[in-house]
PDB file of all heavy atoms in Angstrom:
ATOM      1  N   GLY A1059    -114.848 228.359  31.242  1.00  0.00           N
ATOM      2  CA  GLY A1059    -113.393 228.601  31.065  1.00  0.00           C
ATOM      3  C   GLY A1059    -112.844 228.151  29.718  1.00  0.00           C
ATOM      4  O   GLY A1059    -111.644 228.361  29.554  1.00  0.00           O
ATOM      5  N   VAL A1060    -113.587 227.594  28.854  1.00  0.00           N
ATOM      6  CA  VAL A1060    -113.012 227.123  27.589  1.00  0.00           C
ATOM      7  C   VAL A1060    -112.761 228.271  26.587  1.00  0.00           C
ATOM      8  O   VAL A1060    -111.698 228.225  25.994  1.00  0.00           O
ATOM      9  CB  VAL A1060    -114.028 226.072  26.918  1.00  0.00           C
ATOM     10  CG1 VAL A1060    -113.347 225.508  25.619  1.00  0.00           C
ATOM     11  CG2 VAL A1060    -114.324 224.958  27.904  1.00  0.00           C
ATOM     12  N   ALA A1061    -113.665 229.155  26.532  1.00  0.00           N
ATOM     13  CA  ALA A1061    -113.533 230.281  25.545  1.00  0.00           C
ATOM     14  C   ALA A1061    -112.304 231.096  25.877  1.00  0.00           C
ATOM     15  O   ALA A1061    -111.588 231.622  24.968  1.00  0.00           O
ATOM     16  CB  ALA A1061    -114.753 231.217  25.622  1.00  0.00           C
ATOM     17  N   GLY A1062    -111.973 231.256  27.216  1.00  0.00           N
ATOM     18  CA  GLY A1062    -110.812 231.987  27.545  1.00  0.00           C
ATOM     19  C   GLY A1062    -109.475 231.235  27.058  1.00  0.00           C
ATOM     20  O   GLY A1062    -108.588 231.933  26.531  1.00  0.00           O
ATOM     21  N   VAL A1063    -109.421 229.933  27.219  1.00  0.00           N
ATOM     22  CA  VAL A1063    -108.271 229.180  26.710  1.00  0.00           C
ATOM     23  C   VAL A1063    -108.143 229.240  25.136  1.00  0.00           C
ATOM     24  O   VAL A1063    -107.180 229.327  24.594  1.00  0.00           O
ATOM     25  CB  VAL A1063    -108.341 227.762  27.289  1.00  0.00           C
ATOM     26  CG1 VAL A1063    -107.206 226.860  26.706  1.00  0.00           C
ATOM     27  CG2 VAL A1063    -108.275 227.706  28.750  1.00  0.00           C
ATOM     28  N   GLU A1064    -109.322 229.110  24.511  1.00  0.00           N
ATOM     29  CA  GLU A1064    -109.360 229.161  23.080  1.00  0.00           C
ATOM     30  C   GLU A1064    -108.949 230.542  22.539  1.00  0.00           C
ATOM     31  O   GLU A1064    -108.200 230.611  21.546  1.00  0.00           O
ATOM     32  CB  GLU A1064    -110.787 228.808  22.538  1.00  0.00           C
ATOM     33  CG  GLU A1064    -111.141 227.434  22.657  1.00  0.00           C
ATOM     34  CD  GLU A1064    -110.339 226.516  21.712  1.00  0.00           C
ATOM     35  OE1 GLU A1064    -109.994 226.946  20.693  1.00  0.00           O
ATOM     36  OE2 GLU A1064    -110.291 225.288  22.024  1.00  0.00           O
ATOM     37  N   THR A1065    -109.255 231.616  23.303  1.00  0.00           N
ATOM     38  CA  THR A1065    -108.770 232.944  22.944  1.00  0.00           C
ATOM     39  C   THR A1065    -107.233 232.984  23.123  1.00  0.00           C
ATOM     40  O   THR A1065    -106.503 233.483  22.107  1.00  0.00           O
ATOM     41  CB  THR A1065    -109.331 233.996  23.880  1.00  0.00           C
ATOM     42  OG1 THR A1065    -110.813 233.997  23.739  1.00  0.00           O
ATOM     43  CG2 THR A1065    -108.819 235.329  23.547  1.00  0.00           C
ATOM     44  N   LEU A1066    -106.650 232.466  24.174  1.00  0.00           N
ATOM     45  CA  LEU A1066    -105.338 232.435  24.402  1.00  0.00           C
ATOM     46  C   LEU A1066    -104.544 231.652  23.269  1.00  0.00           C
ATOM     47  O   LEU A1066    -103.507 231.957  22.773  1.00  0.00           O
ATOM     48  CB  LEU A1066    -104.908 231.814  25.690  1.00  0.00           C
ATOM     49  CG  LEU A1066    -104.671 232.806  26.854  1.00  0.00           C
ATOM     50  CD1 LEU A1066    -104.067 232.036  28.054  1.00  0.00           C
ATOM     51  CD2 LEU A1066    -103.750 233.964  26.491  1.00  0.00           C
ATOM     52  N   LYS A1067    -105.147 230.508  22.801  1.00  0.00           N
ATOM     53  CA  LYS A1067    -104.577 229.731  21.759  1.00  0.00           C
ATOM     54  C   LYS A1067    -104.348 230.608  20.510  1.00  0.00           C
ATOM     55  O   LYS A1067    -103.315 230.571  19.896  1.00  0.00           O
ATOM     56  CB  LYS A1067    -105.598 228.616  21.347  1.00  0.00           C
ATOM     57  CG  LYS A1067    -105.114 227.761  20.152  1.00  0.00           C
ATOM     58  CD  LYS A1067    -106.188 226.981  19.547  1.00  0.00           C
ATOM     59  CE  LYS A1067    -107.221 227.884  18.795  1.00  0.00           C
ATOM     60  NZ  LYS A1067    -108.268 227.066  18.173  1.00  0.00           N
ATOM     61  N   ASN A1068    -105.363 231.484  20.230  1.00  0.00           N
ATOM     62  CA  ASN A1068    -105.278 232.325  18.998  1.00  0.00           C
ATOM     63  C   ASN A1068    -104.397 233.507  19.251  1.00  0.00           C
ATOM     64  O   ASN A1068    -104.135 234.216  18.271  1.00  0.00           O
ATOM     65  CB  ASN A1068    -106.647 232.769  18.635  1.00  0.00           C
ATOM     66  CG  ASN A1068    -107.520 231.588  18.103  1.00  0.00           C
ATOM     67  OD1 ASN A1068    -107.163 230.915  17.264  1.00  0.00           O
ATOM     68  ND2 ASN A1068    -108.674 231.449  18.664  1.00  0.00           N
ATOM     69  N   LEU A1069    -103.862 233.641  20.359  1.00  0.00           N
ATOM     70  CA  LEU A1069    -102.861 234.656  20.663  1.00  0.00           C
ATOM     71  C   LEU A1069    -101.456 234.152  20.759  1.00  0.00           C
ATOM     72  O   LEU A1069    -100.422 234.739  20.375  1.00  0.00           O
ATOM     73  CB  LEU A1069    -103.158 235.494  21.923  1.00  0.00           C
ATOM     74  CG  LEU A1069    -104.525 236.300  21.915  1.00  0.00           C
ATOM     75  CD1 LEU A1069    -104.783 236.926  23.297  1.00  0.00           C
ATOM     76  CD2 LEU A1069    -104.541 237.309  20.836  1.00  0.00           C
ATOM     77  N   VAL A1070    -101.315 232.891  21.250  1.00  0.00           N
ATOM     78  CA  VAL A1070    -100.102 232.199  21.342  1.00  0.00           C
ATOM     79  C   VAL A1070     -99.536 231.902  19.937  1.00  0.00           C
ATOM     80  O   VAL A1070     -98.381 232.065  19.651  1.00  0.00           O
ATOM     81  CB  VAL A1070    -100.277 230.872  22.195  1.00  0.00           C
ATOM     82  CG1 VAL A1070     -98.971 230.046  22.097  1.00  0.00           C
ATOM     83  CG2 VAL A1070    -100.428 231.261  23.620  1.00  0.00           C
ATOM     84  N   LEU A1071    -100.403 231.442  19.029  1.00  0.00           N
ATOM     85  CA  LEU A1071     -99.925 231.052  17.732  1.00  0.00           C
ATOM     86  C   LEU A1071     -99.307 232.205  16.957  1.00  0.00           C
ATOM     87  O   LEU A1071     -98.242 231.990  16.402  1.00  0.00           O
ATOM     88  CB  LEU A1071    -101.154 230.457  16.914  1.00  0.00           C
ATOM     89  CG  LEU A1071    -101.581 229.075  17.400  1.00  0.00           C
ATOM     90  CD1 LEU A1071    -102.910 228.729  16.644  1.00  0.00           C
ATOM     91  CD2 LEU A1071    -100.509 228.023  17.046  1.00  0.00           C
ATOM     92  N   PRO A1072     -99.835 233.403  16.913  1.00  0.00           N
ATOM     93  CA  PRO A1072     -99.140 234.467  16.249  1.00  0.00           C
ATOM     94  C   PRO A1072     -98.025 235.116  17.035  1.00  0.00           C
ATOM     95  O   PRO A1072     -97.336 236.015  16.494  1.00  0.00           O
ATOM     96  CB  PRO A1072    -100.272 235.554  16.004  1.00  0.00           C
ATOM     97  CG  PRO A1072    -101.306 235.298  17.100  1.00  0.00           C
ATOM     98  CD  PRO A1072    -101.210 233.825  17.302  1.00  0.00           C
ATOM     99  N   GLY A1073     -97.810 234.706  18.240  1.00  0.00           N
ATOM    100  CA  GLY A1073     -96.580 235.071  18.928  1.00  0.00           C
ATOM    101  C   GLY A1073     -96.694 236.226  19.935  1.00  0.00           C
ATOM    102  O   GLY A1073     -95.861 237.076  19.912  1.00  0.00           O
ATOM    103  N   ILE A1074     -97.630 236.218  20.833  1.00  0.00           N
ATOM    104  CA  ILE A1074     -97.596 237.219  21.998  1.00  0.00           C
ATOM    105  C   ILE A1074     -96.319 236.942  22.803  1.00  0.00           C
ATOM    106  O   ILE A1074     -95.847 235.770  22.781  1.00  0.00           O
ATOM    107  CB  ILE A1074     -98.839 237.169  22.903  1.00  0.00           C
ATOM    108  CG1 ILE A1074     -99.071 235.767  23.378  1.00  0.00           C
ATOM    109  CG2 ILE A1074    -100.103 237.707  22.125  1.00  0.00           C
ATOM    110  CD1 ILE A1074    -100.159 235.700  24.433  1.00  0.00           C
ATOM    111  N   GLY A1075     -95.923 237.947  23.491  1.00  0.00           N
ATOM    112  CA  GLY A1075     -94.708 237.721  24.326  1.00  0.00           C
ATOM    113  C   GLY A1075     -94.885 236.674  25.417  1.00  0.00           C
ATOM    114  O   GLY A1075     -94.055 235.739  25.541  1.00  0.00           O
ATOM    115  N   SER A1076     -95.918 236.832  26.146  1.00  0.00           N
ATOM    116  CA  SER A1076     -96.098 235.840  27.261  1.00  0.00           C
ATOM    117  C   SER A1076     -97.566 235.959  27.739  1.00  0.00           C
ATOM    118  O   SER A1076     -98.265 236.950  27.361  1.00  0.00           O
ATOM    119  CB  SER A1076     -95.213 236.133  28.515  1.00  0.00           C
ATOM    120  OG  SER A1076     -95.479 237.478  29.018  1.00  0.00           O
ATOM    121  N   PHE A1077     -97.979 235.027  28.565  1.00  0.00           N
ATOM    122  CA  PHE A1077     -99.367 235.077  29.091  1.00  0.00           C
ATOM    123  C   PHE A1077     -99.271 234.519  30.491  1.00  0.00           C
ATOM    124  O   PHE A1077     -98.382 233.720  30.888  1.00  0.00           O
ATOM    125  CB  PHE A1077    -100.257 234.272  28.238  1.00  0.00           C
ATOM    126  CG  PHE A1077     -99.944 232.803  28.147  1.00  0.00           C
ATOM    127  CD1 PHE A1077    -100.544 231.855  29.123  1.00  0.00           C
ATOM    128  CD2 PHE A1077     -99.244 232.253  27.185  1.00  0.00           C
ATOM    129  CE1 PHE A1077    -100.235 230.540  29.036  1.00  0.00           C
ATOM    130  CE2 PHE A1077     -98.961 230.871  27.076  1.00  0.00           C
ATOM    131  CZ  PHE A1077     -99.429 230.010  28.030  1.00  0.00           C
ATOM    132  N   THR A1078    -100.345 234.911  31.290  1.00  0.00           N
ATOM    133  CA  THR A1078    -100.492 234.313  32.655  1.00  0.00           C
ATOM    134  C   THR A1078    -101.937 233.820  32.781  1.00  0.00           C
ATOM    135  O   THR A1078    -102.878 234.531  32.416  1.00  0.00           O
ATOM    136  CB  THR A1078    -100.206 235.380  33.678  1.00  0.00           C
ATOM    137  OG1 THR A1078     -98.950 235.976  33.548  1.00  0.00           O
ATOM    138  CG2 THR A1078    -100.348 234.880  35.069  1.00  0.00           C
ATOM    139  N   ILE A1079    -102.153 232.621  33.293  1.00  0.00           N
ATOM    140  CA  ILE A1079    -103.416 232.063  33.477  1.00  0.00           C
ATOM    141  C   ILE A1079    -103.683 232.016  35.033  1.00  0.00           C
ATOM    142  O   ILE A1079    -102.861 231.410  35.729  1.00  0.00           O
ATOM    143  CB  ILE A1079    -103.559 230.656  32.900  1.00  0.00           C
ATOM    144  CG1 ILE A1079    -103.405 230.621  31.463  1.00  0.00           C
ATOM    145  CG2 ILE A1079    -104.902 230.064  33.230  1.00  0.00           C
ATOM    146  CD1 ILE A1079    -103.382 229.301  30.770  1.00  0.00           C
ATOM    147  N   VAL A1080    -104.751 232.674  35.481  1.00  0.00           N
ATOM    148  CA  VAL A1080    -105.145 232.562  36.821  1.00  0.00           C
ATOM    149  C   VAL A1080    -106.364 231.752  36.909  1.00  0.00           C
ATOM    150  O   VAL A1080    -107.420 232.116  36.298  1.00  0.00           O
ATOM    151  CB  VAL A1080    -105.379 233.931  37.468  1.00  0.00           C
ATOM    152  CG1 VAL A1080    -105.982 233.869  38.821  1.00  0.00           C
ATOM    153  CG2 VAL A1080    -104.061 234.769  37.463  1.00  0.00           C
ATOM    154  N   ASP A1081    -106.307 230.605  37.550  1.00  0.00           N
ATOM    155  CA  ASP A1081    -107.564 229.670  37.629  1.00  0.00           C
ATOM    156  C   ASP A1081    -107.386 228.770  38.793  1.00  0.00           C
ATOM    157  O   ASP A1081    -106.521 227.890  38.811  1.00  0.00           O
ATOM    158  CB  ASP A1081    -107.574 228.886  36.283  1.00  0.00           C
ATOM    159  CG  ASP A1081    -108.865 228.082  36.109  1.00  0.00           C
ATOM    160  OD1 ASP A1081    -109.569 227.880  37.098  1.00  0.00           O
ATOM    161  OD2 ASP A1081    -109.051 227.494  35.009  1.00  0.00           O
ATOM    162  N   PRO A1082    -108.301 228.967  39.794  1.00  0.00           N
ATOM    163  CA  PRO A1082    -108.133 228.098  40.980  1.00  0.00           C
ATOM    164  C   PRO A1082    -108.741 226.669  40.821  1.00  0.00           C
ATOM    165  O   PRO A1082    -108.627 225.912  41.745  1.00  0.00           O
ATOM    166  CB  PRO A1082    -108.916 228.836  42.012  1.00  0.00           C
ATOM    167  CG  PRO A1082    -109.930 229.632  41.271  1.00  0.00           C
ATOM    168  CD  PRO A1082    -109.251 229.985  39.929  1.00  0.00           C
ATOM    169  N   ALA A1083    -109.396 226.391  39.669  1.00  0.00           N
ATOM    170  CA  ALA A1083    -110.074 225.160  39.526  1.00  0.00           C
ATOM    171  C   ALA A1083    -109.083 223.980  39.288  1.00  0.00           C
ATOM    172  O   ALA A1083    -107.953 224.167  38.891  1.00  0.00           O
ATOM    173  CB  ALA A1083    -110.992 225.261  38.265  1.00  0.00           C
ATOM    174  N   THR A1084    -109.540 222.797  39.617  1.00  0.00           N
ATOM    175  CA  THR A1084    -108.858 221.578  39.268  1.00  0.00           C
ATOM    176  C   THR A1084    -109.544 220.864  38.119  1.00  0.00           C
ATOM    177  O   THR A1084    -110.747 221.101  37.933  1.00  0.00           O
ATOM    178  CB  THR A1084    -108.721 220.660  40.517  1.00  0.00           C
ATOM    179  OG1 THR A1084    -110.075 220.278  40.965  1.00  0.00           O
ATOM    180  CG2 THR A1084    -107.880 221.238  41.553  1.00  0.00           C
ATOM    181  N   VAL A1085    -108.802 220.008  37.429  1.00  0.00           N
ATOM    182  CA  VAL A1085    -109.308 219.426  36.249  1.00  0.00           C
ATOM    183  C   VAL A1085    -110.298 218.174  36.636  1.00  0.00           C
ATOM    184  O   VAL A1085    -109.920 217.351  37.443  1.00  0.00           O
ATOM    185  CB  VAL A1085    -108.260 218.878  35.283  1.00  0.00           C
ATOM    186  CG1 VAL A1085    -108.809 218.244  34.136  1.00  0.00           C
ATOM    187  CG2 VAL A1085    -107.275 219.997  34.955  1.00  0.00           C
ATOM    188  N   THR A1086    -111.452 218.263  36.003  1.00  0.00           N
ATOM    189  CA  THR A1086    -112.488 217.178  36.318  1.00  0.00           C
ATOM    190  C   THR A1086    -112.756 216.488  34.955  1.00  0.00           C
ATOM    191  O   THR A1086    -112.312 216.872  33.908  1.00  0.00           O
ATOM    192  CB  THR A1086    -113.757 217.734  36.806  1.00  0.00           C
ATOM    193  OG1 THR A1086    -114.297 218.546  35.853  1.00  0.00           O
ATOM    194  CG2 THR A1086    -113.527 218.615  38.088  1.00  0.00           C
ATOM    195  N   GLU A1087    -113.588 215.373  35.043  1.00  0.00           N
ATOM    196  CA  GLU A1087    -113.958 214.659  33.851  1.00  0.00           C
ATOM    197  C   GLU A1087    -114.727 215.550  32.917  1.00  0.00           C
ATOM    198  O   GLU A1087    -114.543 215.452  31.662  1.00  0.00           O
ATOM    199  CB  GLU A1087    -114.818 213.483  34.286  1.00  0.00           C
ATOM    200  CG  GLU A1087    -114.058 212.302  34.889  1.00  0.00           C
ATOM    201  CD  GLU A1087    -113.293 211.428  34.005  1.00  0.00           C
ATOM    202  OE1 GLU A1087    -113.375 211.735  32.717  1.00  0.00           O
ATOM    203  OE2 GLU A1087    -112.593 210.544  34.432  1.00  0.00           O
ATOM    204  N   ALA A1088    -115.526 216.388  33.478  1.00  0.00           N
ATOM    205  CA  ALA A1088    -116.309 217.320  32.609  1.00  0.00           C
ATOM    206  C   ALA A1088    -115.403 218.245  31.772  1.00  0.00           C
ATOM    207  O   ALA A1088    -115.711 218.548  30.592  1.00  0.00           O
ATOM    208  CB  ALA A1088    -117.299 218.154  33.500  1.00  0.00           C
ATOM    209  N   ASP A1089    -114.283 218.630  32.318  1.00  0.00           N
ATOM    210  CA  ASP A1089    -113.327 219.517  31.669  1.00  0.00           C
ATOM    211  C   ASP A1089    -112.871 218.777  30.330  1.00  0.00           C
ATOM    212  O   ASP A1089    -112.660 219.350  29.273  1.00  0.00           O
ATOM    213  CB  ASP A1089    -112.128 219.806  32.504  1.00  0.00           C
ATOM    214  CG  ASP A1089    -112.430 220.904  33.519  1.00  0.00           C
ATOM    215  OD1 ASP A1089    -112.768 222.001  33.031  1.00  0.00           O
ATOM    216  OD2 ASP A1089    -112.364 220.641  34.681  1.00  0.00           O
ATOM    217  N   LEU A1090    -112.585 217.455  30.535  1.00  0.00           N
ATOM    218  CA  LEU A1090    -111.949 216.740  29.404  1.00  0.00           C
ATOM    219  C   LEU A1090    -112.862 216.654  28.185  1.00  0.00           C
ATOM    220  O   LEU A1090    -112.493 216.498  27.058  1.00  0.00           O
ATOM    221  CB  LEU A1090    -111.548 215.285  29.826  1.00  0.00           C
ATOM    222  CG  LEU A1090    -110.609 215.173  30.979  1.00  0.00           C
ATOM    223  CD1 LEU A1090    -110.223 213.721  31.190  1.00  0.00           C
ATOM    224  CD2 LEU A1090    -109.348 216.048  30.709  1.00  0.00           C
ATOM    225  N   GLY A1091    -114.188 216.753  28.427  1.00  0.00           N
ATOM    226  CA  GLY A1091    -115.136 216.648  27.339  1.00  0.00           C
ATOM    227  C   GLY A1091    -115.281 217.913  26.499  1.00  0.00           C
ATOM    228  O   GLY A1091    -115.734 217.848  25.399  1.00  0.00           O
ATOM    229  N   VAL A1092    -114.746 219.043  27.028  1.00  0.00           N
ATOM    230  CA  VAL A1092    -114.986 220.305  26.271  1.00  0.00           C
ATOM    231  C   VAL A1092    -113.716 221.100  26.074  1.00  0.00           C
ATOM    232  O   VAL A1092    -113.651 222.031  25.306  1.00  0.00           O
ATOM    233  CB  VAL A1092    -115.983 221.216  27.021  1.00  0.00           C
ATOM    234  CG1 VAL A1092    -117.412 220.598  26.966  1.00  0.00           C
ATOM    235  CG2 VAL A1092    -115.600 221.464  28.446  1.00  0.00           C
ATOM    236  N   ASN A1093    -112.650 220.813  26.786  1.00  0.00           N
ATOM    237  CA  ASN A1093    -111.494 221.612  26.712  1.00  0.00           C
ATOM    238  C   ASN A1093    -110.355 220.767  26.042  1.00  0.00           C
ATOM    239  O   ASN A1093    -109.786 219.786  26.670  1.00  0.00           O
ATOM    240  CB  ASN A1093    -110.956 222.023  28.171  1.00  0.00           C
ATOM    241  CG  ASN A1093    -109.970 223.063  28.069  1.00  0.00           C
ATOM    242  OD1 ASN A1093    -109.139 223.160  27.116  1.00  0.00           O
ATOM    243  ND2 ASN A1093    -109.840 223.920  29.087  1.00  0.00           N
ATOM    244  N   PHE A1094    -109.945 221.088  24.829  1.00  0.00           N
ATOM    245  CA  PHE A1094    -108.910 220.314  24.072  1.00  0.00           C
ATOM    246  C   PHE A1094    -107.565 220.642  24.578  1.00  0.00           C
ATOM    247  O   PHE A1094    -106.583 219.896  24.124  1.00  0.00           O
ATOM    248  CB  PHE A1094    -109.011 220.723  22.653  1.00  0.00           C
ATOM    249  CG  PHE A1094    -110.240 220.148  21.890  1.00  0.00           C
ATOM    250  CD1 PHE A1094    -111.178 219.454  22.552  1.00  0.00           C
ATOM    251  CD2 PHE A1094    -110.295 220.195  20.588  1.00  0.00           C
ATOM    252  CE1 PHE A1094    -112.292 218.866  21.915  1.00  0.00           C
ATOM    253  CE2 PHE A1094    -111.356 219.604  19.836  1.00  0.00           C
ATOM    254  CZ  PHE A1094    -112.368 218.987  20.547  1.00  0.00           C
ATOM    255  N   PHE A1095    -107.410 221.462  25.503  1.00  0.00           N
ATOM    256  CA  PHE A1095    -106.023 221.751  26.113  1.00  0.00           C
ATOM    257  C   PHE A1095    -105.906 221.099  27.443  1.00  0.00           C
ATOM    258  O   PHE A1095    -105.186 221.522  28.339  1.00  0.00           O
ATOM    259  CB  PHE A1095    -105.806 223.241  26.178  1.00  0.00           C
ATOM    260  CG  PHE A1095    -105.515 223.824  24.735  1.00  0.00           C
ATOM    261  CD1 PHE A1095    -106.566 224.365  24.017  1.00  0.00           C
ATOM    262  CD2 PHE A1095    -104.283 223.775  24.148  1.00  0.00           C
ATOM    263  CE1 PHE A1095    -106.409 224.869  22.794  1.00  0.00           C
ATOM    264  CE2 PHE A1095    -104.080 224.278  22.875  1.00  0.00           C
ATOM    265  CZ  PHE A1095    -105.184 224.827  22.213  1.00  0.00           C
ATOM    266  N   LEU A1096    -106.600 219.939  27.611  1.00  0.00           N
ATOM    267  CA  LEU A1096    -106.376 219.118  28.736  1.00  0.00           C
ATOM    268  C   LEU A1096    -106.412 217.703  28.307  1.00  0.00           C
ATOM    269  O   LEU A1096    -107.020 217.397  27.255  1.00  0.00           O
ATOM    270  CB  LEU A1096    -107.599 219.327  29.842  1.00  0.00           C
ATOM    271  CG  LEU A1096    -107.637 220.759  30.408  1.00  0.00           C
ATOM    272  CD1 LEU A1096    -108.931 220.923  31.186  1.00  0.00           C
ATOM    273  CD2 LEU A1096    -106.451 221.071  31.280  1.00  0.00           C
ATOM    274  N   ASP A1097    -105.760 216.788  29.001  1.00  0.00           N
ATOM    275  CA  ASP A1097    -105.841 215.330  28.627  1.00  0.00           C
ATOM    276  C   ASP A1097    -106.058 214.548  29.908  1.00  0.00           C
ATOM    277  O   ASP A1097    -106.154 215.042  31.014  1.00  0.00           O
ATOM    278  CB  ASP A1097    -104.541 214.928  27.924  1.00  0.00           C
ATOM    279  CG  ASP A1097    -103.280 215.256  28.650  1.00  0.00           C
ATOM    280  OD1 ASP A1097    -103.319 215.212  29.885  1.00  0.00           O
ATOM    281  OD2 ASP A1097    -102.221 215.516  28.040  1.00  0.00           O
ATOM    282  N   GLN A1098    -106.118 213.204  29.660  1.00  0.00           N
ATOM    283  CA  GLN A1098    -106.447 212.284  30.749  1.00  0.00           C
ATOM    284  C   GLN A1098    -105.475 212.431  31.960  1.00  0.00           C
ATOM    285  O   GLN A1098    -105.898 212.329  33.138  1.00  0.00           O
ATOM    286  CB  GLN A1098    -106.419 210.850  30.273  1.00  0.00           C
ATOM    287  CG  GLN A1098    -107.050 209.813  31.181  1.00  0.00           C
ATOM    288  CD  GLN A1098    -108.571 209.988  31.285  1.00  0.00           C
ATOM    289  OE1 GLN A1098    -109.187 210.426  30.319  1.00  0.00           O
ATOM    290  NE2 GLN A1098    -109.136 209.588  32.426  1.00  0.00           N
ATOM    291  N   ASP A1099    -104.180 212.665  31.602  1.00  0.00           N
ATOM    292  CA  ASP A1099    -103.219 212.851  32.649  1.00  0.00           C
ATOM    293  C   ASP A1099    -103.449 214.106  33.530  1.00  0.00           C
ATOM    294  O   ASP A1099    -102.749 214.250  34.554  1.00  0.00           O
ATOM    295  CB  ASP A1099    -101.869 212.823  32.047  1.00  0.00           C
ATOM    296  CG  ASP A1099    -101.419 211.510  31.436  1.00  0.00           C
ATOM    297  OD1 ASP A1099    -102.005 210.522  31.861  1.00  0.00           O
ATOM    298  OD2 ASP A1099    -100.498 211.507  30.552  1.00  0.00           O
ATOM    299  N   SER A1100    -104.307 215.036  33.055  1.00  0.00           N
ATOM    300  CA  SER A1100    -104.454 216.241  33.771  1.00  0.00           C
ATOM    301  C   SER A1100    -105.520 216.141  34.890  1.00  0.00           C
ATOM    302  O   SER A1100    -105.537 216.966  35.678  1.00  0.00           O
ATOM    303  CB  SER A1100    -105.031 217.365  32.727  1.00  0.00           C
ATOM    304  OG  SER A1100    -104.229 217.542  31.689  1.00  0.00           O
ATOM    305  N   LEU A1101    -106.247 215.047  34.945  1.00  0.00           N
ATOM    306  CA  LEU A1101    -107.321 214.884  35.918  1.00  0.00           C
ATOM    307  C   LEU A1101    -106.771 215.105  37.378  1.00  0.00           C
ATOM    308  O   LEU A1101    -105.665 214.542  37.750  1.00  0.00           O
ATOM    309  CB  LEU A1101    -107.873 213.453  35.831  1.00  0.00           C
ATOM    310  CG  LEU A1101    -109.051 213.278  34.796  1.00  0.00           C
ATOM    311  CD1 LEU A1101    -109.383 211.801  34.787  1.00  0.00           C
ATOM    312  CD2 LEU A1101    -110.274 214.157  35.151  1.00  0.00           C
TER     313      LEU A1101
END
């Protein structure tokens, strides 16, 4: 799921109108090691 978020980052910066994220997962420790768009408070 990291590549999808990184793709969105590169669409948000140039100004797409809006986006929707569908993701049933909850944030784990493993997520924090590879996804820069999550932080400790997201656990």
Side-chain angles (χ1 to χ4, degrees):
V1060 182
V1063 175
E1064 289 290 333
T1065 300
L1066 266 190
K1067 174 199 74 177
N1068 292 305
L1069 298 178
V1070 169
L1071 288 171
I1074 56 170
S1076 62
F1077 65 87
T1078 304
I1079 299 176
V1080 174
D1081 188 347
T1084 55
V1085 180
T1086 65
E1087 289 281 358
D1089 284 297
L1090 301 184
V1092 292
N1093 193 330
F1094 284 8
F1095 288 93
L1096 296 170
D1097 55 31
Q1098 193 70 29
D1099 293 336
S1100 302
L1101 276 175

